[in-house]
């Protein structure tokens, strides 16, 4: 919603105060830019919805408006010993992370490179899917 800037536990539960601080600094900078006119009526570079899939319970931010490095946060709904993060757009896999363990008690952070966002835009996508998918262990 334009003009609303949420951060901290009001947005999602944080494990560490450092994460709240980082998120609040980003929200504050964005709110300041909005107040100075950069958000009111400004045309975003892009408009992509971010949706969770697989065992990802949520993904934040819910919307990307610039083709720039974007920090995604998410939690899984259940513990898993082996899973990987996948980024998809229009059914095409744009990125696959390393296989590792995930726990619901840990907020995960994932840096989404600008080139992945640009690839989604080049495909004409309106949505990026962050999927955490369990894999069978060998």
């Amino acid at each position: 919603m334009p003009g609303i800037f949420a951060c901290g536990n009001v947005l999602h539960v944080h494990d560490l105060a450092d994460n709240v601080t980082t998120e609040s600094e980003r929200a504050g900078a964005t709110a300041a830019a909005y107040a100075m006119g950069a958000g009111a009526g400004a045309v975003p570079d892009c408009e992509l919805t971010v949706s969770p899939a697989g065992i990802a319970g949520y993904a934040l931010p819910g919307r990307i408006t610039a083709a720039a490095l974007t920090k995604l946060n998410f939690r899984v709904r259940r513990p898993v010993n082996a899973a990987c993060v996948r980024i998809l757009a229009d059914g095409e896999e744009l990125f696959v992370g390393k296989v590792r363990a995930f726990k619901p008690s840990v907020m995960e952070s994932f840096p989404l490179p600008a080139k992945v966002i640009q690839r989604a835009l080049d495909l004409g996508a309106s949505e990026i899917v962050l999927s955490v998918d369990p894999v069978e262990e060998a």
Side-chain angles (χ1 to χ4, degrees):
M1 176 177 272
I4 303 294
F5 301 91
C7 61
N9 286 350
V10 71
L11 185 59
H12 58 130
V13 177
H14 287 274
D15 306 328
L16 305 170
D18 290 351
N19 292 341
V20 175
T21 301
T22 300
E23 189 173 87
S24 65
E25 288 171 346
R26 185 173 37 170
T30 305
Y34 181 86
M36 298 198 55
V43 178
D45 291 350
C46 68
E47 184 73 29
L48 291 170
T49 301
V50 180
S51 300
I55 62 169
Y58 69 83
L60 291 173
R63 192 168 57 107
I64 296 173
T65 58
L69 178 66
T70 302
K71 181 179 175 184
L72 298 179
N73 292 307
F74 66 94
R75 283 186 195 266
V76 294
R77 289 181 296 212
R78 64 180 174 84
V80 63
N81 290 328
C84 67
V85 173
R86 296 173 50 223
I87 302 296
L88 306 129
D90 281 349
E92 185 173 323
E93 190 173 79
L94 305 180
F95 180 87
V96 180
K98 293 179 182 178
V99 174
R100 63 184 199 79
F102 291 93
K103 296 179 185 176
S105 61
V106 178
M107 183 178 64
E108 301 289 344
S109 179
F110 176 78
L112 184 64
K115 66 181 180 181
V116 174
I117 296 170
Q118 189 58 56
R119 178 68 182 127
L121 294 171
D122 292 346
L123 290 170
S126 60
E127 176 186 48
I128 285 179
V129 176
L130 182 149
S131 187
V132 180
D133 302 307
V135 296
E136 290 186 33
E137 296 183 77

